[in-house]
Amino acid sequence: NAGVTQTPKFRILKIGQSMTLQCAQDMNHNYMYWYRQDPGMGLKLIYYSVGAGITDKGEVPNGYNVSRSTTEDFPLRLELAAPSQTSVYFCASSNRAQGGTEAFFGQGTRLTVV
Amino acid sequence: GQQLNQSPQSMFIQEGEDVSMNCTSSSIFNTWLWYKQDPGEGPVLLIALYKAGELTSNGRLTAQFGITRKDSFLNISASIPSDVGIYFCAGRGSNYKLTFGKGTLLTVNP
């Protein structure tokens, strides 16, 4: 009963390094989302996808890239890490069509850029 | 972009008291959702609302989708210590994007 799985749980990056945050869901959900959560700021949408092969920008996409080659996976790529990208990142999936289900969240990836 | 104003930012209450929090939006939403987040965890869905005027309960929680489609509230009755956490509202428009409020931090004193 995995739901939404995010890896890694924690990571420290140096400025300028790159990394990929992994997200996988086993619920056959069409919609997947990446959010970042900064203290006291709620969740801000980075990118989202309504299905395999389709992605779109959210509120704060700069400095990130995504791909959706399969229904299950939605990786988030940071190419040149900056201190401003220090945050907790959450992946979510949903299948809100008629009779569908609302967003399930992963447990988050805490990223620190130093 | 769409903005959600969630209030209050924080609440300190005694066990047994009722709680009310709300969200207002600058634009219309088709769906309103309420989530709870415990420390170190991802948000967990509490209640989903899909129709203007809809009133839905989940145990001691009750939420309503405002008639104007620009607001929603969440009530918690007879609070208990495990209600402690951050509560988020979220709205979704026709483009499938979920926009979140900044959260209400709830503290319950036993």
Side-chain angles (χ1 to χ4, degrees):
Chain A
N1 200 13
V4 178
T5 303
Q6 287 184 240
T7 55
K9 286 193 167 42
F10 303 94
R11 184 73 186 267
I12 297 175
L13 277 184
K14 292 188 178 174
I15 294 171
Q17 284 186 321
S18 61
M19 78 164 292
T20 300
L21 282 68
Q22 301 291 346
C23 176
Q25 53 92 8
D26 61 359
M27 297 171 283
N28 203 31
H29 284 173
N30 291 332
Y31 310 142
M32 295 187 76
Y33 312 84
W34 273 106
Y35 290 89
R36 58 176 288 171
Q37 185 176 33
D38 301 315
M41 296 301 292
L43 292 100
K44 293 195 172 174
L45 183 64
I46 305 171
Y47 271 94
Y48 68 106
S49 168
V50 300
I54 306 169
T55 62
D56 211 343
K57 295 178 181 178
E59 299 173 69
V60 289
N62 291 345
Y64 307 95
N65 276 302
V66 293
S67 59
R68 184 94 184 271
S69 54
T70 67
T71 299
E72 293 78 21
D73 300 299
F74 191 40
L76 178 72
R77 178 92 179 149
L78 283 70
E79 290 293 351
L80 289 169
S84 61
Q85 293 177 305
T86 294
S87 189
V88 181
Y89 291 83
F90 287 101
C91 177
S93 74
S94 73
N95 196 26
R96 186 56 208 171
Q98 271 188 323
T101 55
E102 284 299 344
F104 286 83
F105 281 81
Q107 290 210 307
T109 295
R110 186 175 295 273
L111 176 67
T112 303
V113 182
V114 297
Chain B
Q2 292 163 329
Q3 304 254 347
L4 278 188
N5 295 311
Q6 185 171 350
S7 64
Q9 278 189 323
S10 61
M11 303 182 76
F12 297 84
I13 62 170
Q14 292 297 126
E15 183 176 359
E17 287 183 355
D18 296 343
V19 171
S20 186
M21 58 192 79
N22 69 82
C23 273
T24 58
S25 167
S26 57
S27 51
I28 288 171
F29 286 119
N30 296 328
T31 300
W32 280 98
L33 306 171
W34 285 92
Y35 286 85
K36 183 186 179 215
Q37 185 178 29
D38 293 323
E41 302 287 330
V44 174
L45 182 68
L46 298 173
I47 292 180
L49 302 157
Y50 300 112
K51 224 162 66 166
E54 182 180 353
L55 184 73
T56 296
S57 292
N58 178 8
R60 294 177 295 107
L61 278 62
T62 302
Q64 185 157 31
F65 192 142
I67 288 289
T68 65
R69 295 166 64 193
K70 290 186 177 183
D71 64 318
S72 177
F73 72 74
L74 174 72
N75 286 342
I76 306 173
S77 62
S79 58
I80 59 178
S82 62
D83 289 335
V84 163
I86 304 177
Y87 291 80
F88 290 101
C89 63
R92 182 169 59 226
S94 55
N95 58 5
Y96 308 113
K97 284 197 251 187
L98 269 181
T99 301
F100 279 78
K102 292 186 180 181
T104 296
L105 175 62
L106 179 63
T107 303
V108 180
N109 295 320

